[in-house]
Amino acid sequence: MQGVLAPVLTPFDRDLNPDAPKFARFCRSLLEEGCTGLAPFGTTSEANSLSLDERERLLDALLDAGIPAGKLIPGTGCCALPDTARLSRKAARAGCAGVLMLPPFYYKNLTEEGLFRSFAQAIDRAAEPKLRVYLYHIPQVSHAGIPLRVIERLRNAYPAVVVGIKDSSGDFENTRAILRAFSSFEVFVGSEKFLLANLREGGAGCITATANLNARAIARAFRERTEERQREIDAVRAAFERFPLIAGLKEALAARTGDPSWRAVRPPLVELTAEQRDAFSREPSLRGAAGSP
């Protein structure tokens, strides 16, 4: 798996239940707009506001709608070990390209031994030979980073299973260290701001929230690999980052589709305020993202 993947936004109905048909249609449109693959049930997807049953039903909806399993790397990392194993097993048996696995994130100041055991136990309990794991490093949110020594131990213990990582730390020196420490390891950055730098170091691409609205431009930047294309996608990313990211992406999608229900987020998140929406509508870089794809 290489290229641009979207951690797919989750649509909700008026009762804040996931809208599976709309989710499947949106996933198909992202592939048509240039995404290499999809990473549903990530941070941008509000995954940790979804139940296990909801995640499983949404994955089934994608597969039933004909979304190729080989294009999917669903998020499966949970605080409870059996939950991570259950979701990972289902994804592997469905033929998904891999799973994106967070470490357990409620307890803080975890030891390296504890982190290693959590991943190892999840892999062992999933007991699925087709399982491929992409570690998910987002320490500013999870407060449970994945050190190089833990990656090394997992690679040594499960060389055919632990195949890559999404580094959403925002620290490209950490990404570079991973790239230089491990060969044949698929490294995705969590923001397109680092796409060109990652590719130049031998990385695989990016799994980025703004691919939900700017997939064509980011895919073009991946293909052309020029400073000019990087500056273009940087401008859009910087504009989105001036607002709460998930609510801002959903605001842009509501404007693009003419469907205000896209604004819905599950608590504890909230939609943009009226003042934020007004400022959002006046951002030059966002007017294009909120227009027709």
Side-chain angles (χ1 to χ4, degrees):
M1 181 72 76
Q2 292 191 342
V4 177
L5 284 77
V8 187
L9 291 165
T10 303
F12 296 105
D13 64 21
R14 66 178 60 191
D15 296 317
L16 294 183
N17 296 311
D19 186 330
K22 186 184 293 186
F23 185 63
R25 290 193 300 271
F26 183 51
C27 285
R28 183 172 299 283
S29 74
L30 289 172
L31 293 174
E32 292 170 351
E33 288 173 28
C35 285
T36 308
L38 305 171
F41 322 132
T43 303
T44 307
S45 316
E46 302 172 71
N48 286 296
S49 296
L50 299 173
S51 71
L52 296 187
D53 288 344
E54 286 174 329
R55 292 201 213 187
E56 290 181 333
R57 286 198 298 270
L58 286 171
L59 179 58
D60 286 339
L62 296 186
L63 299 172
D64 290 345
I67 302 296
K71 296 282 189 181
L72 299 175
I73 304 180
T76 61
C78 303
C79 282
L81 177 59
D83 293 348
T84 301
R86 168 180 157 180
L87 293 174
S88 299
R89 184 185 308 113
K90 180 178 178 64
R93 288 180 177 174
C96 292
V99 302
L100 193 60
M101 193 178 289
L102 274 170
F105 48 85
Y106 179 78
Y107 294 107
K108 305 303 184 281
N109 302 314
L110 301 178
T111 64
E112 291 183 1
E113 179 64 24
L115 283 167
F116 171 79
R117 289 185 191 181
S118 68
F119 287 115
Q121 286 276 328
I123 292 167
D124 290 344
R125 289 189 182 209
E128 177 50 64
K130 294 188 292 184
L131 178 64
R132 299 295 178 266
V133 171
Y134 293 80
L135 306 172
Y136 187 9
H137 178 66
I138 185 168
Q140 70 274 31
V141 176
S142 67
H143 296 277
I146 307 173
L148 289 177
R149 286 186 294 272
V150 172
I151 300 172
E152 182 179 21
R153 288 185 65 185
L154 289 168
R155 288 282 288 160
N156 289 338
Y158 304 96
V161 177
V162 180
V163 296
I165 190 168
K166 177 185 178 184
D167 184 0
S168 292
S169 66
D171 176 6
F172 191 71
E173 290 306 311
N174 183 72
T175 308
R176 182 181 284 116
I178 297 170
L179 286 160
R180 295 181 177 180
F182 307 106
S183 61
S184 302
F185 193 57
E186 297 171 34
V187 178
F188 292 88
V189 285
S191 168
E192 70 273 26
K193 292 188 296 185
F194 306 107
L195 177 59
L196 185 57
N198 191 41
L199 295 174
R200 286 175 172 172
E201 289 279 350
C206 63
I207 303 174
T208 179
T210 40
N212 282 280
L213 271 298
N214 202 30
R216 291 188 191 277
I218 302 171
R220 184 179 182 185
F222 174 82
R223 293 192 305 271
E224 297 186 10
R225 307 188 182 201
T226 65
E227 296 284 355
E228 179 183 3
R229 298 298 173 230
Q230 183 65 56
R231 286 192 295 270
E232 290 171 357
I233 61 176
D234 285 350
V236 175
R237 178 76 186 207
F240 271 112
E241 288 182 346
R242 287 193 273 275
F243 300 89
L245 187 56
I246 297 171
L249 290 167
K250 285 192 160 183
E251 177 65 30
L253 196 54
R256 174 185 285 190
T257 61
D259 181 356
S261 70
W262 266 112
R263 295 192 179 104
V265 290
R266 266 192 178 172
L269 300 184
V270 295
E271 66 278 2
L272 296 187
T273 65
E275 292 79 10
Q276 288 172 324
R277 287 175 60 189
D278 181 62
F280 190 92
S281 68
R282 289 185 278 105
E283 278 283 348
S285 296
L286 295 181
R287 282 199 287 268
S292 298

